[in-house]
Amino acid sequence: MLFLVAALLLLGVLLGAVAHAPLAFSAVTAAVIAGWLAAFAARERHARRH
């Protein structure tokens, strides 16, 4: 339960920071995170096949 509260608090802080950041910075950061997640998913999918 404490982990969930900490995660929600961190999410709120990050969303608050993104609201004040320029749109271009937010878009680039979102693209980097999406690429990282896609690479992680591909690596995990590849590891499960072998």
Side-chain angles (χ1 to χ4, degrees):
M1 182 68 179
L2 185 59
F3 175 75
L4 181 61
V5 171
L8 288 174
L9 179 66
L10 183 61
L11 180 63
V13 169
L14 290 176
L15 286 178
V18 167
H20 296 288
L23 183 59
F25 174 77
S26 299
V28 168
T29 305
V32 168
I33 292 171
W36 176 55
L37 289 174
F40 178 77
R43 188 178 64 185
E44 286 296 313
R45 184 175 298 153
H46 181 70
R48 291 190 190 271
R49 288 183 181 167
H50 293 111

